[in-house]
Amino acid sequence: MTKAKSRGRGRPRYDAEDAKAAAAFRKLGAKTTLEREDVAPLWVQLRNRIEDAMNKGVLAANSRIPSEQAFCEIFGVSKPVVRAALGALSVDGRIIKMPRKGMFVAPPREHVDFMATNLGVFGDLTAKGHKVSTRTFEFVRAKPSEKERRIFGLPPEGDVVRIGRVYMSDNVPITMTHISLPGHRVPGLETRLGENMSVFQTLREIYGITLSRADRWLTAALPTPEQVDRMGISAHTPLIAIESLAYDTEGMPLEYYEAVYNSSLARIHMAVGHSPAGQLLKTSF
């Protein structure tokens, strides 16, 4: 990709304040090519390149983020693209904004828990060092049920994508899920989501969708015959039934699922408290 020329006023101020970060961003920009014909918007591609560099340590924690203008010059994109990419990274907690100081790469998270965050089963277990694999038994685009139509506010001609999966942690079935997504939000998902791929990560990287919150309900349950068969468990295995409705950053319902978690493999720990914003904290395994 052709990079924009310098403004001729010298380097952006952040170069002098954090020369190491400036060099890292410029090196990343020199190796980054954004494809304008790709199904993923430019801002999604840019966001993913930056996050990947953060995950690999190329962009160190606490290093200063370039200004919008510097970003435009480094990556050869417009300000709206830069703002959308940085906004998504901020929502995901990957960058932090400090008044009168600028933006910085956020320190790595100590841990994540799928019951308390929107990473989902795949992301939570992977983050904890487990080898995660999936066994998909349903993947269809279909007319919504009355419940799905009501949840997503779909018109009569709308459709949903349904995904049925068993998730395995270190080759042991740990949870089984039935996921529903509003079809118009995920065109072509059937050709994009493969086995052993995270649903949440695919939504973020291909469609630029970030989930900001979820409501979840837990009840005790015994397995159904289908769950016994698909998870290879006893009919007397204690399970935790989970119902979840997740929303995007605009507050629109995006993902509904019903799942069962094999509580004989690991306990769920809940520490109850409140953040300054009044949010409930925190749940972990």
Side-chain angles (χ1 to χ4, degrees), residues 111-120 124 200 214 216:
H111 64 275
V112 292
D113 304 288
F114 95 85
M115 293 298 299
T117 71
N118 292 316
L119 285 176
D124 176 66
F200 283 178
R216 290 183 176 140

Side-chain angles (χ1 to χ4, degrees), residues 25-76:
F25 272 101
R26 293 191 182 282
K27 185 176 181 180
L28 176 63
K31 298 192 301 183
T32 297
T33 299
L34 304 181
E35 302 294 340
R36 298 184 181 278
E37 303 303 319
D38 195 278
V39 64
L42 288 178
W43 73 266
V44 174
Q45 297 180 49
L46 179 59
R47 178 215 171 283
N48 294 341
R49 301 297 193 282
I50 297 171
E51 183 179 51
D52 183 60
M54 291 176 178
N55 292 338
K56 293 178 179 177
V58 174
L59 300 178
N62 301 311
S63 58
R64 188 181 176 89
I65 300 288
S67 66
E68 285 186 1
Q69 183 59 45
F71 247 107
C72 294
E73 296 174 358
I74 292 171
F75 294 97

Side-chain angles (χ1 to χ4, degrees), residues 38-39 66 89 97 104 107 142 161 168 171 176 187 212 225 230 233-234 248:
D38 195 278
V39 64
L89 288 166
K97 298 178 181 179
F104 299 83
V161 173
M168 289 162 285
N171 297 316
M176 175 175 157
S212 63
R230 295 194 185 280
I233 56 179
S234 163
D248 64 16

